Amino acid sequence: GQQGGGDTFTPEELELAAINSANLSVEELDELQDRVVTLLLLLSHADAVVKAFLCTPDNLRQHLKSLQYCLQQPHLAGPSLLKLLRCLRWLTGEHAVLGPLKEAGAIQTLVPFLSDSAVAALGPQGHEAQVQALHSLYNICKFNKKVHLEAAACEGAVPHLCRIAVEGVSASADPTTEAALTSMAAHNSNAAGGGQQQFSPLAPELAAAVEALQRWTCVRGFVVPMLVGMASCSPTTRACMWNSGGLAALLALLEVHQDAAMRLGVLQALDVWLAEDSRPVEQQLVQRDAVVQLVQVYANAGQVSGCQQMSFRY
């Protein structure tokens, strides 16, 4: 809209005018907010032209400001939070708008959603918010890795990525958890087919472990590539990795990760890191636990497609 003199209203003025003129109740405002956010989510599925309009500086500023507010006041976040995060995730899938997203502060806004404290504060939607934030961050860092990975590292993403990886490895290493997850999947498949097989509820500790393994399954495709990229990106990202236990996290991933491509990526990242920072990395890799992990990888190389062609300097 425009004023009589031709000046454009700011978004804040339009928002204030709408609220004052409508004189809506809290419930009506909540419903209006949900409809607006749902519309934004719908538009984020559109083509590059529509996404470009969504990613103007003013629009992105309001979008990211809303996410920051939800994190600062988690008790007021409501269902709109996940829709806003999903909207941002869809926008990050468009290469043409990644520059404006970074300039608007998307990385800085997303990283805090990775923390344990944010997950706990956001309650039932905390883990899903973390997954959406990880996916968006991964999409941004896929392109122009040098710039975006460094930006993510400088904003504090590395400690969260390392923690998530170590927790995921811990969940994956427990055969009891794997067996329980397999049993649950078989039960769900049988139930979907009309079977009546009974399934005993899991003990609380085992249920928590299964939930952790399920979460890791959802996010490892984002976490592992970003950690691998951090190790081979630049001295800045490697310094953040070193200070956050990144080397131990990469070695832990080798121990349980059955995906040949990801395992090879972790090994190549270690190769680059050793070449760039020989002395400190070598001192860690010759420790007994690290040697055992690496020898085990070589012992299994014949059983895992893609690992037979590995060559390394250590």
Side-chain angles (χ1 to χ4, degrees):
Q2 290 186 333
Q3 300 176 9
D7 296 330
T8 303
F9 285 110
T10 66
E12 291 85 359
E13 289 171 335
L14 287 172
E15 180 181 5
L16 183 61
I19 293 175
N20 288 339
S21 61
N23 194 26
L24 301 175
S25 66
V26 174
E27 292 76 14
E28 290 170 327
L29 284 173
D30 286 342
E31 182 181 358
L32 178 61
Q33 179 192 38
D34 184 66
R35 290 185 180 184
V36 169
V37 174
T38 300
L39 178 59
L40 287 174
L41 180 58
L42 179 64
L43 292 173
S44 70
H45 288 67
D47 60 18
V49 175
V50 176
K51 289 179 180 178
F53 280 107
L54 287 174
C55 290
T56 63
D58 279 344
N59 289 340
L60 286 177
R61 180 170 56 83
Q62 292 297 321
H63 192 150
L64 298 177
K65 184 178 178 182
S66 298
L67 288 174
Q68 293 164 3
Y69 179 80
C70 288
L71 204 55
Q72 293 165 0
Q73 304 290 337
H75 60 289
L76 298 177
S80 295
L81 169 62
L82 291 181
K83 291 182 180 180
L84 285 169
L85 284 169
R86 292 188 185 110
C87 176
L88 189 60
R89 172 173 61 81
W90 280 99
L91 293 176
T92 59
E94 178 58 50
H95 178 253
V97 302
L98 291 179
L101 281 166
K102 178 182 177 296
E103 293 302 318
I107 293 175
Q108 181 181 1
T109 300
L110 288 168
V111 168
F113 283 95
L114 309 185
S115 69
D116 267 346
S117 58
V119 171
L122 291 171
Q125 57 185 357
H127 288 296
E128 177 61 21
Q130 185 186 69
V131 171
Q132 296 298 326
L134 275 168
H135 196 164
S136 298
L137 196 59
Y138 169 77
N139 285 346
I140 294 172
C141 291
K142 267 197 313 186
F143 298 97
N144 198 346
K145 295 179 182 179
K146 166 69 175 174
V147 173
H148 295 164
L149 278 173
E150 276 200 1
C154 292
E155 291 297 340
V158 175
H160 302 309
L161 295 175
C162 291
R163 174 185 49 77
I164 293 170
V166 170
E167 290 176 353
V169 167
S170 177
S172 302
D174 187 350
T176 306
T177 305
E178 286 277 10
L181 188 58
T182 303
S183 177
M184 287 175 60
H187 169 73
N188 292 337
S189 176
N190 183 68
Q196 300 297 321
Q197 179 183 2
Q198 287 192 337
F199 182 76
S200 301
L202 299 175
E205 298 82 1
L206 185 56
V210 168
E211 186 178 346
L213 181 56
Q214 290 174 322
R215 289 197 299 268
W216 172 239
T217 303
C218 290
V219 302
R220 66 186 178 191
F222 312 132
V223 173
V224 178
M226 281 195 282
L227 285 176
V228 167
M230 294 285 184
S232 56
C233 179
S234 70
T236 299
T237 57
R238 282 190 291 275
C240 292
M241 287 279 286
W242 183 265
N243 294 331
S244 304
L247 186 60
L250 290 177
L251 289 170
L253 287 169
L254 286 178
E255 187 174 351
V256 299
H257 221 296
Q258 299 303 311
D259 187 303
M262 285 192 177
R263 177 174 283 184
L264 186 57
V266 171
L267 285 165
Q268 289 172 336
L270 289 171
D271 189 27
V272 172
W273 201 349
L274 177 62
E276 296 293 334
D277 301 315
S278 302
R279 185 182 297 275
V281 175
E282 183 179 5
Q283 289 176 349
Q284 294 298 314
L285 292 180
V286 298
Q287 298 297 315
R288 176 178 173 79
D289 289 345
V291 171
V292 169
Q293 289 168 315
L294 292 170
V295 169
Q296 188 62 42
V297 171
Y298 281 109
N300 296 333
Q303 304 171 16
V304 183
S305 173
C307 289
Q308 295 170 319
Q309 304 172 358
M310 296 182 298
S311 62
F312 305 100
R313 285 185 271 272
Y314 45 84

